[in-house]
Amino acid sequence: MDLILDGFATALTPENLLFAALGVLLGTAVGVLPGIGPAMTLALLLPVTYSVGADSAIIMFAGIYYGGMYGGSTTSILLNTPGESSSVITAIEGNKMAKAGRAAQALATAAIGSFVAGSIATVLLWIVTPWVADIVVTLGSPSYFALMVLALFAVTAVLGSSKLRGFIALFLGLAVGLVGTSTGQARLTFGQPLLADGIDIVVVAVALFAIGEALWVAAHLRRKPLEIIPVGQPWMSKDDWRRSWKPWLRGTAFGFPFGALPAGGAELPTFLSYATEKRLTRHPEEFGKGAIEGVAGPEAANNASAAGTLVPLLALGLPTTATAAIMLVALQGYGFQTGPTLMDDHPDLVWGLLASLFVANALLLVLNLPMAPLWAKLLRIPRPYLYAGILFFASLGAYSVNFQAFDLALLLVIGTLGFFMRRFGIPVLPLIIGVILGPKLEEQLTTALQISEGDVSTLWSEPVAVVVYVVIALVLVAMTAAGLRRPAESTPTPADDKEMIER
Amino acid sequence: MSTPSNPGNPGNPGTTGSVVVAYSADRYGETAVAHAAEQARKEGARLVVVNATLGSSLVDNRFAHDADIAALHDRLTAEGLEVVVRHDVVNDVADAVVAAADEEQASLIVVGIRHRSPVGKLLLGSVAQKIILTAHCPVLAVKPSS
Amino acid sequence: MSVPTTTPTTRPPRPVVDKAQYGLAGFLVLAGGYVLLDAAGLHDGFADQPVQPYTLPYVVGAGLVLFGILLAVATARGDRPEAEEGEDIDLTQGTDVRTVGLLALVLIANIALIDLLGWAITGALLFAGAAIVLGSRNWIRDIAVGVALSVGSWYFFYVVLGVPIPAGILDGVL
């Protein structure tokens, strides 16, 4: 309890409050803007934030994370263009509501539902994160190594529709992570002394999320403007409240556990929430035509799941989303040892972050409900400036790491890779997580084998490790079986449901 | 992307010449259309509604939604006018209006004009001004009654 | 996290092969091969290194080669990529190679000139160049915004963050 109060003391200092507000506003703006997401924003901000205090930067990042989701749901409701897979479901009923003249109510239930779900999930975080960290910290290196393998495997194979492409991305990431002289010998440095310290993860993140994305969008720029639905101040009637509160709670219940699992993601819980609300509703005739339950539930699930992803991030040092991956990069950039010991070593930082999530959530509601019409104006920014701005700030960010033109060349090379990954449908997330976790994996393996004096059987000497490997093996067998039954056919996932959405 | 949503008209013997109106989906555009409709009726001319956008931003509030353009077309047709609509993504809105006037052998172009702040004048070109300066026929500039 | 593209509703009876994907498969095999080659050139580690420096590279290199081959096989059997969708992306038209190529040239120009001219100048050129390539037609405004951004960011780093960005030929002017 004292820890939470201390956390609030950190989060509520005027300076950190300012950073939280800045993060929330910036996050909402980039969530609304086409082509920029929270992951790209965090990547672009990484170099700048190292000049700010660690707690302030992390608090701002949390604000951007939450704000980005809020902004994303605004555009999916008003424009029917879900920017991220997590807001695809919201767009189904949300845009129908808006077209039926109920945009204000759709935005209100999304915003208040996000607040309710975010607040409950934040309280759950306060309870679950220390508990998980306490358990994991007692595990030995072999078990921790197994958990890392599980996280890599889950992000690669369970999320995304093509397993093969997931593994391609992961191994490309691991290869990038090999570069450098961390083992005492130069690996993959091409004889280039500037590569001796490895490729700076900031450059990799900015290249993949900013340059790759900007080039990809530039190649396929939408020409015809989208039809936006005008909106005023969001509000809800008593009846809307009555129909919304249960879906909010049920959505939270779906979202948090899925987010907290290593193979989390928001796609499945939002989909489950939608299906549940459709079954339980007293207004089945409205589904497909703009049912408020179909916005309230998935939006809550989306936010609760986003909060849930902080459990593996803070308690295990394992990121499961792109945004969480960049937050981990930021923590490492400040020199923190991420992993189960983070909570014990830096309680002020972790609890400041956990408390600030609550603050960010409240700020989001207070600031954004009145500002919804203003956010819609952001969509009128001319896109040449938007994407030129992304390229500008990406170059500045990469250059500011070492002030070397070489980093800019790397930026272009990896950005080109990011462009082709988008062209060939290869997910970016496994790559960035491979770059981050690859070196840690090697480190953990070394620690485990040092303790056992080179005896490899130590890797399966702990029960937790054995259980994890069995789980991975079972999933692999199930995947292979499924793959053999239907060769050369793209696996149907909840993705099929997305195709129903008209564009 | 397509243009005249009222095909099979050119050379219709019933009408001579045309009136082109630069339409934007706001009250300036509404005013311009009202004046242009009146002129077209007087002259017995065809009414050509041009609603164009650069498509440079994700949302352009002056670019009418497809449904609204259809409604406008139906409304004007119901008033007994012969209406052609050009609803396009173009490289320059003013050029598109002038080109439409040339192609349709317009006797008049109607544009809505608005008050602009000094900063706005500095940063943004004026579509109305460019139409007035480049058109090959008379241009009628109208503004909503405030 | 790509949202699948709308694949044509009528799938042709014979699989349409995305030939470009062979290029990717080839790249993966080459990259994996290079990782293996690099690993082969590493020596045994120190006595206190239970994991040899070449262990992980061998695994990664072999994996890349394997996945490259699997991708080539999948491609031949009609596997097609689902290019990434987005809010601002229209996949119904082909790739605009010219725009991407010109943007890459703008970025290369920045790399080539930054040591000589400094960020305050090349940053402005980068912004204005990219905006013009992307279809902005107001040159003066593009350059004005670019200069404001690059000089502004230079002073932001210098004054607020206390980090001087190399000024290039403007050394002493800024």
Side-chain angles (χ1 to χ4, degrees), chain A residues 32-35 48 51 75 81 83 85 161 164-165 167-168 171-172 174-175 178 183 185-188 190 213 215-222 383-385 387-389 391-393 395-396 399-400 403 405 408-409 412 419 422-426 442 445-446 449-450 487-488 495 498-499 503, chain C residues 1 4-5 18 20-21 24 28 34 38 42-44 48-51 53 57 59-60 63-64 67 71 77 79-91 93-96 100 103 107-108 110-111 114-115 119 123 126-127 130-131 134 136 141-142 149-150 153 156-157 161 163 165-166:
Chain A
V32 168
L33 284 173
V48 182
S51 311
T75 41
T81 55
S85 50
S161 53
L164 175 59
R165 290 186 173 77
F167 279 106
I168 289 172
F171 273 70
L172 283 173
L174 290 175
L178 286 177
T183 55
Q185 295 181 45
R187 293 195 298 198
L188 294 177
F190 300 90
E213 180 74 15
L215 290 180
W216 177 244
V217 175
H220 300 94
L221 209 49
R222 197 187 284 283
R383 280 174 297 180
Y385 283 9
Y387 295 108
L391 293 177
F392 175 89
F393 284 108
S395 301
L396 175 60
Y399 185 58
S400 70
F403 298 119
L408 288 172
L412 181 58
F419 173 83
R422 285 169 175 85
R423 157 70 177 80
F424 291 110
I426 295 177
E442 193 171 28
L445 185 65
T446 306
L449 292 181
Q450 264 165 355
K498 284 175 217 153
E499 292 191 341
R503 293 206 157 263
Chain C
M1 286 194 216
T5 61
D18 180 7
Q21 211 165 230
L24 175 69
L28 289 173
Y34 184 80
D38 187 78
L42 295 171
H43 313 291
D44 279 348
D48 64 342
Q49 271 183 313
V51 182
V59 175
V60 173
L64 282 173
F67 294 133
L71 184 67
R77 289 166 75 183
D79 170 277
R80 277 187 299 160
E82 295 169 342
E84 190 170 283
E85 276 251 20
E87 283 171 298
D88 213 2
I89 289 172
D90 181 3
L91 286 174
Q93 272 138 39
T95 305
D96 184 352
V100 176
L103 281 182
L107 290 171
I108 290 170
N110 181 42
I111 297 169
I114 195 163
D115 283 339
W119 171 252
L126 171 70
F127 180 89
L134 288 165
S136 176
R141 191 172 48 160
D142 297 344
L149 277 177
S150 65
S153 61
F156 177 81
F157 268 75
L161 304 180
V163 182
I165 301 178

Side-chain angles (χ1 to χ4, degrees), chain A residues 93-474:
Chain A
E93 297 296 323
N95 188 250
K96 294 265 163 54
M97 275 183 82
K99 279 191 174 144
R102 283 173 40 84
Q105 287 80 1
L107 287 180
T109 199
I112 302 170
S114 299
F115 172 73
V116 171
S119 303
I120 297 175
T122 304
V123 174
L124 288 175
L125 271 180
W126 294 347
I127 302 163
V128 175
T129 317
W131 179 68
V132 174
D134 282 347
I135 295 176
V136 177
V137 87
T138 62
L139 300 176
S141 280
S143 297
Y144 194 59
F145 176 78
L147 282 175
M148 286 173 110
V149 174
L150 176 68
L152 284 177
F153 180 75
V155 168
T156 305
V158 181
L159 305 174
S161 53
S162 168
K163 319 293 175 209
L164 175 59
R165 290 186 173 77
F167 279 106
I168 289 172
L170 175 67
F171 273 70
L172 283 173
L174 290 175
V176 173
L178 286 177
V179 177
T181 50
S182 57
T183 55
Q185 295 181 45
R187 293 195 298 198
L188 294 177
T189 58
F190 300 90
Q192 169 62 259
L194 288 171
L195 283 174
D197 289 336
I199 299 177
D200 197 300
I201 183 80
V202 172
V203 176
V204 179
V206 171
L208 284 178
F209 287 109
I211 302 279
E213 180 74 15
L215 290 180
W216 177 244
V217 175
H220 300 94
L221 209 49
R222 197 187 284 283
R223 285 276 282 146
K224 193 181 175 195
L226 291 162
E227 304 195 342
I228 191 169
I229 294 155
V231 69
Q233 167 86 41
W235 63 279
M236 288 205 295
S237 72
K238 232 184 203 146
D239 187 48
D240 293 324
W241 280 93
R242 210 169 21 245
R243 288 175 62 182
S244 288
W245 71 270
K246 279 187 200 155
W248 289 340
L249 296 182
R250 283 193 289 258
T252 310
F254 278 119
F256 187 79
F258 273 99
L261 283 174
E267 292 182 39
L268 202 54
T270 51
F271 180 75
L272 285 176
S273 163
Y274 181 76
T276 309
E277 297 312 330
K278 197 171 176 178
R279 202 160 43 81
L280 293 178
T281 180
R282 290 205 195 131
H283 305 269
E285 74 286 354
E286 282 188 24
F287 266 80
K289 292 181 195 132
I292 195 164
E293 293 93 340
V295 182
E299 224 9 59
N302 181 8
N303 262 51
S305 135
T309 56
L310 294 175
V311 173
L313 177 70
L314 293 175
L316 304 172
L318 299 178
T320 52
T321 63
T323 318
I326 312 254
M327 286 174 84
L328 189 77
V329 172
L331 287 171
Q332 290 176 348
Y334 280 110
F336 296 116
Q337 188 66 40
T338 52
T341 52
L342 182 70
M343 297 207 75
D344 289 336
D345 295 348
H346 305 280
D348 44 334
L349 177 84
V350 176
W351 286 101
L353 170 63
L354 289 176
S356 77
L357 290 174
F358 211 90
V359 175
N361 222 347
L363 281 175
L364 209 51
L365 192 71
V366 175
L367 292 177
N368 279 346
L369 271 184
M371 286 173 77
L374 193 71
W375 291 125
K377 290 214 169 77
L378 273 182
L379 293 168
R380 303 215 294 248
I381 291 184
R383 280 174 297 180
Y385 283 9
L386 185 62
Y387 295 108
I390 292 173
L391 293 177
F392 175 89
F393 284 108
S395 301
L396 175 60
Y399 185 58
S400 70
V401 175
N402 296 316
F403 298 119
Q404 243 145 14
F406 179 73
D407 281 334
L408 288 172
L410 269 183
L411 183 77
L412 181 58
V413 169
I414 301 175
T416 310
L417 178 70
F419 173 83
F420 281 106
M421 287 174 73
R422 285 169 175 85
R423 157 70 177 80
F424 291 110
I426 295 177
V428 176
L429 180 63
L431 194 156
I432 196 86
I433 291 188
V435 180
I436 297 171
L437 290 188
K440 302 218 122 212
L441 202 67
E442 193 171 28
E443 204 177 285
Q444 206 59 240
L445 185 65
T446 306
T447 314
L449 292 181
Q450 264 165 355
I451 294 169
S452 75
E453 294 178 340
D455 180 4
V456 182
S457 70
T458 185
L459 292 180
W460 47 88
S461 65
E462 292 185 16
V464 174
V466 174
V467 171
V468 168
Y469 290 130
V470 169
V471 169
I472 295 178
L474 284 179

